[in-house]
């Protein structure tokens, strides 16, 4: 479900319905130069490609870099991952007065507060 140009109450209500029924939910809007996008994918599984790290033997190269691990771009492995997305209601209900929140404040885009 994709929403735009909706009130906060409508977005929260539809997200709760989608989350309950395991339906992916996206919402967003733009206000001049500012905008936001939110995604609630519920429990989302995906595969990530990782490059294998190969150790270089000391006899192959000279110098201090000989013992460091090097990336071998020809060999990769696929790693299955799972992420649990939060609901819009939870994302909007963050208490910004705690110590943990103060650290996150630096990484939070100012547009989050425009949505509030």
């Amino acid at each position: 479900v994709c929403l735009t140009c909706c009130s906060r109450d409508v977005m929260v209500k539809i997200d709760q319905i989608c989350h309950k029924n395991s339906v992916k939910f996206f919402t967003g809007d733009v206000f001049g130069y500012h905008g936001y996008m939110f995604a609630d994918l519920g429990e989302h599984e995906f595969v990530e490609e990782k490059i294998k790290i190969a150790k270089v033997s000391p006899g192959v190269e000279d110098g201090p870099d000989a013992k460091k691990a090097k990336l071998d771009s020809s060999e990769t492995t696929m790693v299955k991952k799972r992420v649990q997305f939060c609901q819009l209601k939870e994302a909007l209900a963050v208490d910004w007065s705690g110590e943990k929140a103060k650290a996150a404040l630096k990484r939070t885009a100012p547009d989050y507060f425009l949505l509030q």
Side-chain angles (χ1 to χ4, degrees):
V1 172
C2 296
L3 290 180
T4 187
C5 301
C6 292
S7 71
R8 180 177 164 167
D9 293 337
V10 169
M11 289 187 293
V12 168
K13 184 174 182 172
I14 293 176
D15 179 41
Q16 288 175 332
I17 294 167
C18 289
H19 195 85
K20 180 180 174 185
N21 294 296
S22 300
V23 174
K24 296 179 184 337
F25 173 81
F26 298 89
T27 186
D29 212 337
V30 177
F31 310 101
Y33 288 112
H34 299 280
Y36 69 90
M37 183 280 224
F38 179 83
D40 178 0
L41 305 180
E43 188 173 307
H44 182 67
E45 291 184 0
F46 61 98
V47 176
E48 184 176 64
E49 189 174 15
K50 293 272 189 178
I51 297 172
K52 281 191 178 179
I53 297 175
K55 299 269 185 189
V56 177
S57 60
V60 175
E61 289 185 26
D62 290 341
D65 295 333
K67 293 181 182 177
K68 290 185 178 178
K70 299 233 175 175
L71 295 179
D72 183 6
S73 60
S74 62
E75 285 193 54
T76 60
T77 58
M78 303 304 264
V79 179
K80 188 175 181 179
K81 295 193 173 188
R82 179 178 298 172
V83 177
Q84 182 67 40
F85 283 73
C86 73
Q87 294 183 35
L88 181 59
K89 185 176 182 178
E90 294 169 15
L92 294 173
V94 174
D95 178 17
W96 292 99
S97 62
E99 282 299 315
K100 202 173 186 181
K102 287 180 184 176
L105 188 60
K106 294 176 185 174
R107 298 185 315 263
T108 303
D111 295 347
Y112 170 85
F113 300 101
L114 290 174
L115 178 60
Q116 292 287 17

